[in-house]
Amino acid sequence: MRSSSSSSAHASAKHDHTKCISAALDTAEQLCVVRGVQLTPIRLQVLKLIWESHQAVKAYELLDRLKPLKQEAKPATVYRALDFLIEQGLIHRIESLNAFIGCHYSGQQHEQLLLICKECHEVEERSAPAVMDALSSEIDQAGFIAHSKAIEIHGICAKCSKETDAQG
Amino acid sequence: MRSSSSSSAHASAKHDHTKCISAALDTAEQLCVVRGVQLTPIRLQVLKLIWESHQAVKAYELLDRLKPLKQEAKPATVYRALDFLIEQGLIHRIESLNAFIGCHYSGQQHEQLLLICKECHEVEERSAPAVMDALSSEIDQAGFIAHSKAIEIHGICAKCSKETDAQG
DNA sequence: ATCGAATATGTTATATTATCACAACTTTGT
DNA sequence: ACAAAGTTGTGATAATATAACATATTCGAT
Ligand SMILES: [Zn+2]
Ligand SMILES: [Zn+2]
Ligand SMILES: [Zn+2]
Ligand SMILES: [Zn+2]
């Protein structure tokens, strides 16, 4: 009986996720207007699907969820939308999972730390300025010119480790 | 005519790569003996192929290079060897490239920073203690229990940025 | 309003990356 | 010699991602 408890239980608790969603979609629309790029129905729909949870989502999972809403959807449909959303900084690709997650800092800077829970698959994005400063100076010392930085940490999130404690 | 200059030119210069190779293979053999695991001919061969350069290598590239030496080689042959080498900390998987690179710190600790050059595809591994300390405390603050950490930076390495300067 | 360029989507096929399942063989300890 | 554990051979297939080319839509300039 331990199987069903962990993956859906705490995702809905603790915070008003409808706010996460509306904030993300509002920001996305604003940014796209400002930048003169098109947040088309497909792209918006994919963004909504990604924001249904804080869990990492795979491309073919998105495709399956998109199909009922858009029968012509094919892999390219999804990958194109994902490419767009990534370019615009609205989502992140999680390299170590081949998966995607909504970005919490869309408008702003962009060097984030991702904490990826093996248990519930939720991903927490942190800006972690101290880490980023240390990282920048390390990179400078190496004489390297960084174009992109990805820090992906896998492990067990605070919520899941508490649950495990409680359940013994 | 700009095509051939960058990718092979500086790989061989600057350092005695035969030393890199023999050091890596010696360490590997010692570690495997100590740990009571088998560095079989296939595994050793794959490790050698990976160490032929400091460039990231793909699994099917390894397979192609392995086939002439081992006609029965199939994808599983390579992936099994890679799994073993990763488990033993002898190589790293580069998540953002689906590629592999020899580890410079096999015996020791294991949280490394990878600087991945888009130009020459060489990968520099740095232990970056300052970054790792900052990272650990950030992770602690989040109440997260880390199992693995991957920092992958893409950009242009010192050698390649100099060359680009020089060539105008 | 029409035209053309740029952008976005539809569609089919295919490339790339990775795993599974099961049989055969090898190594190791008893 | 035997059994158990580990490794490899082999064929099939799953999962992830891109290419290529036709069609449609958007949008600004005339
Ligand atoms: Zn939320
Ligand atoms: Zn969790
Ligand atoms: Zn070397
Ligand atoms: Zn380089």
Side-chain angles (χ1 to χ4, degrees):
Chain A
M1 286 293 104
R2 57 143 77 83
S3 64
S4 64
S5 62
S6 61
S7 85
S8 57
H10 63 230
S12 53
K14 290 268 166 78
H15 81 281
D16 180 359
H17 189 57
T18 60
K19 285 196 183 170
C20 297
I21 295 173
S22 59
L25 299 182
D26 286 356
T27 305
E29 288 188 13
Q30 287 171 26
L31 284 177
C32 289
V33 168
V34 168
R35 293 170 184 171
V37 296
Q38 304 176 44
L39 188 59
T40 61
I42 292 177
R43 291 164 176 178
L44 179 58
Q45 186 58 69
V46 170
L47 184 59
K48 283 180 182 171
L49 290 173
I50 289 173
W51 271 103
E52 282 187 353
S53 80
H54 292 283
Q55 292 176 249
V57 177
K58 308 222 139 201
Y60 278 75
E61 233 176 281
L62 287 170
L63 178 56
D64 289 343
R65 295 205 226 145
L66 184 58
K67 271 179 181 160
L69 309 168
K70 193 105 187 52
Q71 300 194 320
E72 328 84 298
K74 301 266 175 344
T77 316
V78 168
Y79 280 104
R80 283 166 178 163
L82 291 170
D83 287 347
F84 172 86
L85 296 170
I86 290 168
E87 265 174 26
Q88 298 302 321
L90 301 174
I91 65 171
H92 295 295
R93 181 182 159 82
I94 303 173
E95 301 291 352
S96 50
L97 290 179
N98 298 327
F100 305 85
I101 192 80
C103 173
H104 274 81
Y105 303 94
S106 296
Q108 299 136 256
Q109 31 88 61
H110 247 103
E111 291 150 27
Q112 77 298 330
L113 168 61
L114 300 179
L115 302 180
I116 303 157
C117 181
K118 286 173 175 169
E119 189 73 23
C120 65
H121 306 114
E122 289 197 10
V123 179
E124 183 184 356
E125 178 175 0
R126 299 175 71 94
S127 55
V131 178
M132 296 308 170
D133 286 354
L135 184 53
S136 295
S137 59
E138 179 76 24
I139 293 170
D140 286 350
Q141 278 171 44
F144 196 87
I145 298 164
H147 292 171
S148 73
K149 304 175 188 174
I151 308 185
E152 301 183 3
I153 311 298
H154 290 259
I156 306 293
C157 74
K159 287 183 294 190
C160 288
S161 62
K162 274 174 208 150
E163 281 180 14
T164 303
D165 277 359
Q167 292 175 5
Chain B
M1 286 292 104
R2 55 145 78 86
S3 63
S4 65
S5 62
S6 61
S7 85
S8 57
H10 63 226
S12 54
K14 289 270 167 80
H15 80 281
D16 180 359
H17 189 58
T18 58
K19 285 195 181 170
C20 297
I21 294 173
S22 58
L25 299 181
D26 286 356
T27 305
E29 289 189 11
Q30 287 170 28
L31 284 177
C32 289
V33 168
V34 168
R35 294 171 183 170
V37 296
Q38 303 176 46
L39 188 60
T40 62
I42 291 176
R43 292 165 175 176
L44 179 58
Q45 186 58 68
V46 169
L47 185 59
K48 283 180 182 170
L49 289 173
I50 289 173
W51 272 103
E52 281 186 353
S53 80
H54 291 282
Q55 292 176 248
V57 178
K58 307 222 140 202
Y60 279 72
E61 232 177 281
L62 287 170
L63 178 55
D64 289 343
R65 294 205 227 145
L66 184 58
K67 271 178 179 159
L69 309 167
K70 192 104 186 52
Q71 299 194 319
E72 328 84 298
K74 300 269 176 337
T77 316
V78 168
Y79 281 104
R80 283 165 177 162
L82 291 171
D83 287 347
F84 172 86
L85 296 170
I86 290 169
E87 266 175 26
Q88 298 303 320
L90 301 174
I91 64 172
H92 294 295
R93 180 179 160 82
I94 303 172
E95 301 290 354
S96 50
L97 291 179
N98 298 328
F100 304 86
I101 191 80
C103 172
H104 274 80
Y105 303 93
S106 295
Q108 300 137 253
Q109 34 85 65
H110 246 103
E111 291 150 28
Q112 77 298 329
L113 168 61
L114 300 180
L115 302 179
I116 303 157
C117 181
K118 284 173 175 169
E119 188 75 24
C120 65
H121 305 114
E122 291 197 9
V123 178
E124 183 184 356
E125 179 176 359
R126 299 175 71 95
S127 54
V131 177
M132 295 308 169
D133 286 354
L135 184 53
S136 295
S137 59
E138 180 75 22
I139 292 169
D140 286 350
Q141 278 170 45
F144 196 89
I145 299 165
H147 293 171
S148 73
K149 304 175 188 176
I151 307 185
E152 301 183 2
I153 311 298
H154 291 259
I156 306 293
C157 73
K159 286 184 293 191
C160 287
S161 63
K162 274 174 208 148
E163 282 181 12
T164 302
D165 278 0
Q167 293 175 7

